[in-house]
Amino acid sequence: GAGVSQSPSNKVTEKGKDVELRCDPISGHTALYWYRQSLGQGLEFLIYFQGNSAPDKSGLPSDRFSAERTGGSVSTLTIQRTQQEDSAVYLCASSLMREKLFFGSGTQLSVL
Amino acid sequence: GQQLNQSPQSMFIQEGEDVSMNCTSSSIFNTWLWYKQDPGEGPVLLIALYKAGELTSNGRLTAQFGITRKDSFLNISASIPSDVGIYFCAGQANTGNQFYFGTGTSLTVIP
């Protein structure tokens, strides 16, 4: 597609359940980022993928969070044993190398 | 991690007025980006800056990359109601991969 696509747009889950969030980056973009945005807050870096290099996981808040990027394209962010404090908008962005980021519309995650 | 101080936190202005907001960082950046975010949407890129002192315009928007490489400014001239939203600055250092984001400026334009 022409832009970054994220799914689902909304996800409601129960505390303790696992969730998977998907990101389809812009075709040809080698870099992919995941950010988290809590209500009324700025963007918190989570993880960065660049080509076939090892991902930069320095922003992941706990070992319940993991992400993978298959074939250098689609990425999945997985949150295990969700907690209420995980509730936020999860944003994916892609870019060419270290150029400007283009964002998807995000996944609104609500943990009850 | 890096701290990006963005100010003001919120602005309430009359339609037609000019707006100015800025970001400062604790260290040197090589790239500054400015984004606008509408409710329920992801941030949309407005302006990208790559060189110290660079001044770039996009319609009624003008942004500058500070000479010290630790700050950036965004100006909006002759504001209109559709300028309403949250504006974020983002910066990237020479080392490392991530873009650091400011906490945002919420803009309200009163018709």
Side-chain angles (χ1 to χ4, degrees):
Chain A
V4 178
S5 177
Q6 291 188 245
S7 61
S9 55
N10 284 281
K11 177 69 176 179
V12 180
T13 190
E14 294 179 350
K15 177 181 174 181
K17 301 281 189 182
D18 298 350
V19 294
E20 285 189 354
L21 312 180
R22 176 188 169 102
C23 174
D24 278 281
I26 293 173
S27 178
H29 279 191
T30 55
L32 187 148
Y33 297 75
W34 283 98
Y35 282 84
R36 178 169 69 176
Q37 185 176 31
S38 300
L39 185 64
Q41 300 297 311
L43 279 69
E44 174 190 5
F45 169 77
L46 296 178
I47 189 169
Y48 163 79
F49 295 90
Q50 173 59 54
N52 295 320
S53 301
D56 177 353
K57 304 180 182 180
S58 60
L60 294 179
S62 76
D63 59 8
R64 296 186 296 106
F65 288 72
S66 63
E68 62 179 23
R69 188 178 185 192
T70 55
S73 181
V74 172
S75 177
T76 302
L77 177 68
T78 301
I79 309 173
Q80 296 178 310
R81 305 181 302 282
T82 53
Q83 304 294 314
Q84 287 183 331
E85 61 263 28
D86 299 334
S87 297
V89 176
Y90 289 82
L91 291 161
C92 175
S94 71
S95 71
L96 282 171
M97 294 302 292
R98 296 172 77 247
E99 287 287 311
K100 48 203 174 190
L101 306 185
F102 293 89
F103 282 88
S105 296
T107 294
Q108 172 72 64
L109 176 65
S110 300
V111 182
L112 304 179
Chain B
Q2 292 283 354
Q3 293 287 331
L4 280 192
N5 297 309
Q6 186 171 350
S7 64
Q9 185 175 8
S10 62
M11 302 181 75
F12 293 81
I13 62 168
Q14 293 286 338
E15 182 177 357
E17 289 184 354
D18 296 344
V19 172
S20 184
M21 59 192 80
N22 70 85
C23 264
T24 58
S25 68
S26 55
S27 58
I28 290 172
F29 283 160
N30 284 349
T31 301
W32 281 99
L33 308 175
W34 283 92
Y35 286 87
K36 177 175 183 278
Q37 186 176 29
D38 292 327
E41 299 293 327
V44 174
L45 183 67
L46 299 174
I47 292 179
L49 303 160
Y50 299 105
K51 291 195 297 188
E54 180 180 357
L55 184 71
T56 298
S57 293
N58 178 8
R60 293 178 297 105
L61 278 61
T62 301
Q64 183 162 27
F65 193 139
I67 290 292
T68 65
R69 295 168 65 191
K70 292 185 177 183
D71 59 359
S72 180
F73 302 86
L74 175 70
N75 295 322
I76 305 173
S77 63
S79 59
I80 59 178
S82 62
D83 292 333
V84 167
I86 301 178
Y87 292 78
F88 290 100
C89 62
Q92 188 181 48
N94 190 43
T95 58
N97 305 307
Q98 63 170 290
F99 283 84
Y100 298 91
F101 281 78
T103 50
T105 295
S106 175
L107 178 63
T108 300
V109 179
I110 303 167

